[in-house]
Amino acid sequence: MGFDLGEVLIRRKTIQERVRELAFDIGSAYGDMDLVLIGVLKGAVVFLSDLIRELPVSITTELDFLAVTSYGPSTESSGVVRIIKDLDININGRNVIIVEDIVDTGLTLSYLVSILREREPEMLEICSLLDKPSRRKTEIDIAFKGFEIPDEFVVGYGLDYSGRWRNLPEIHTLKKRD
Ligand code: 5GP
């Protein structure tokens, strides 16, 4: 079954304002600390690139990326998560924030958190633009959260459906093709 682009769920300006607030919150919490921001590829790239430009200059940030497989072409999570690109840097003793596009069942992040904790960072927190709490299968503490959204599959602002619609500046729902 195919999907078409549905209505706008979160407007560009609303996203921009919230990203600015999240960056302010991170700045307030970590002042002049040395942070490592880990973007989860590929969906978090747009969010991460906006977020870092709103962080205060006093924070030094190193960037790294992880890639995991969580979804095939369908919109349902398989629950199977596999790292397909690991970090380049050593996070031992570092202050780390994982930057994610969306927390749905929570399986991806709880797996990532457990792997990264074994590397003994000084601090490990999560920043996610979107959160679908109604779908959660495992408890996850999201220290910095953009928006809670209903149980709808969304695209845009870095999020895709089968490789499409990542480039849209707003967040949209999908609708089933007639
Ligand atoms: P979780 O493991 O929390 O169920 O899923 C997390 C990952 O599933 C996200 O990083 C994202 O790649 C994908 N995902 C979950 N919900 C959505 C959604 O509504 N839209 C898109 N495009 N991806 C989603």
Side-chain angles (χ1 to χ4, degrees), residues 40-44 68 70-71 75 77 79 81 100-110 130 132 135-136 149-150 152-156 158-161 164 166:
V40 184
L41 295 172
K42 300 171 185 165
V68 293
S70 50
Y71 280 78
T75 55
S77 173
V81 179
E100 192 37 313
D101 51 2
I102 184 165
V103 183
D104 187 17
T105 62
L107 294 172
T108 306
L109 270 182
S110 69
L130 303 175
K132 276 191 221 173
R135 298 253 309 162
R136 201 71 91 251
I149 62 167
E152 294 236 34
F153 196 83
V154 292
V155 295
L159 291 114
D160 75 314
Y161 170 66
R164 288 192 70 189
R166 282 194 204 282

Side-chain angles (χ1 to χ4, degrees), residues 4-174:
D4 289 321
L5 200 55
E7 63 191 29
V8 173
L9 187 67
I10 311 176
R11 302 222 157 266
R12 189 175 197 161
K13 197 164 181 305
T14 313
I15 299 172
Q16 279 169 349
E17 285 168 2
R18 190 73 189 114
V19 169
R20 213 166 284 149
E21 286 170 1
L22 287 173
F24 179 83
D25 292 347
I26 292 173
S28 307
Y30 302 115
D32 52 6
M33 265 161 71
D34 175 33
L35 288 184
V36 180
L37 297 181
I38 297 180
V40 184
L41 295 172
K42 300 171 185 165
V45 164
V46 175
F47 172 43
L48 176 63
S49 62
D50 279 350
L51 184 72
I52 56 171
R53 284 176 288 179
E54 299 291 347
L55 287 173
V57 282
S58 56
I59 293 189
T60 44
T61 53
E62 195 169 353
L63 287 186
D64 206 347
F65 295 92
L66 269 172
V68 293
T69 53
S70 50
Y71 280 78
S74 107
T75 55
E76 278 301 308
S77 173
S78 61
V80 178
V81 179
R82 191 163 60 88
I83 288 193
I84 51 178
K85 186 234 169 278
D86 205 337
L87 297 176
D88 294 329
I89 63 169
N90 181 358
I91 57 165
N92 187 274
R94 307 287 302 271
N95 301 304
V96 176
I97 300 182
I98 305 174
V99 180
E100 192 37 313
D101 51 2
I102 184 165
V103 183
D104 187 17
T105 62
L107 294 172
T108 306
L109 270 182
S110 69
Y111 172 77
L112 279 182
V113 164
S114 65
I115 289 184
L116 297 182
R117 274 203 205 293
E118 284 172 18
R119 303 179 189 182
E120 301 185 345
E122 173 73 22
M123 171 222 80
L124 183 63
E125 296 288 3
I126 293 169
C127 174
S128 181
L129 179 70
L130 303 175
D131 179 23
K132 276 191 221 173
S134 61
R135 298 253 309 162
R136 201 71 91 251
K137 289 185 180 160
T138 176
E139 205 179 306
I140 283 277
D141 180 22
I142 308 172
F144 303 98
K145 185 197 297 192
F147 303 93
E148 286 193 1
I149 62 167
D151 180 11
E152 294 236 34
F153 196 83
V154 292
V155 295
Y157 197 70
L159 291 114
D160 75 314
Y161 170 66
S162 286
R164 288 192 70 189
W165 296 316
R166 282 194 204 282
N167 53 316
L168 302 177
E170 315 202 290
I171 292 171
H172 296 247
T173 56
L174 292 184

